[in-house]
C-alpha cells in the first residue's frame, strides 16, 4: 500500500518483507530527517510540527518453495501537522524502501 498519489491517513499498518535489522537500515537510508530509536522496534521521525512513530513487530516467515523470507508488521502513527506534512515524511520512505519484485 503506497500513498504516493492517495490520501495519507494518521495511522495505518503494512506488512513488509524484511528482517528488523534490514528495516532499520533501510529506514535510515531513505529518511530525509533524523531517525531516532525510541526502543527496540520503535522509531521516531520528526519533520517540522509532524511526528511519525513507527512500530515494528516480527511476523510469520513467508515461504516460497525453499526460499524463506522474514516479514514484519509495521504500524505508522502520525501526530501533529496535516495531510501534506504526513505525505512529506512518508514519500521519501516509500520511494527509498521499495524492493524489487518480480
Amino acid at each position: 500500500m503506497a500513498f504516493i498519489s492517495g490520501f495519507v491517513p494518521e495511522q495505518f499498518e503494512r506488512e513488509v518483507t524484511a528482517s528488523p535489522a534490514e528495516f532499520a537500515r533501510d529506514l535510515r537510508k531513505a529518511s530525509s530527517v533524523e531517525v531516532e530509536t525510541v526502543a527496540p522496534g520503535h522509531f521516531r521521525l520528526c519533520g517540522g510540527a509532524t511526528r511519525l512513530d513507527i512500530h515494528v513487530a516480527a511476523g510469520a516467515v513467508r515461504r516460497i518453495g525453499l526460499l524463506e523470507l522474514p516479514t514484519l508488521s509495521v504500524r505508522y502513527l502520525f501526530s501533529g501537522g496535516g495531510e501534506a506534512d504526513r505525505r512529506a515524511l512518508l514519500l521519501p520512505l516509500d520511494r527509498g524502501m521499495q524492493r524489487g519484485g518480480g
Side-chain angles (χ1 to χ4, degrees):
M1 171 188 329
F3 298 102
I4 291 173
S5 62
F7 179 77
V8 179
E10 291 180 11
Q11 59 182 348
F12 59 91
E13 292 186 27
R14 292 178 171 164
E15 182 180 87
V16 299
T17 304
S19 70
E22 289 170 329
F23 183 88
R25 180 198 65 220
D26 292 347
L27 177 65
R28 285 186 168 80
K29 286 172 54 177
S31 180
S32 59
V33 297
E34 181 181 348
V35 176
E36 174 188 358
T37 301
V38 178
H42 180 185
F43 304 96
R44 180 170 292 151
L45 293 75
C46 295
T50 305
R51 183 174 84 193
L52 170 57
D53 284 285
I54 300 174
H55 298 270
V56 178
V61 172
R62 183 170 291 148
R63 288 182 176 79
I64 304 170
L66 296 176
L67 181 64
E68 293 185 352
L69 302 170
T71 66
L72 298 172
S73 174
V74 184
R75 189 167 38 120
Y76 296 77
L77 303 165
F78 287 95
S79 58
E83 197 273 340
D85 301 308
R86 295 191 297 270
R87 176 176 306 286
L89 274 179
L90 187 62
L91 187 59
L93 303 182
D94 276 356
R95 286 189 177 148
M97 295 180 76
Q98 286 179 342
R99 292 186 170 227

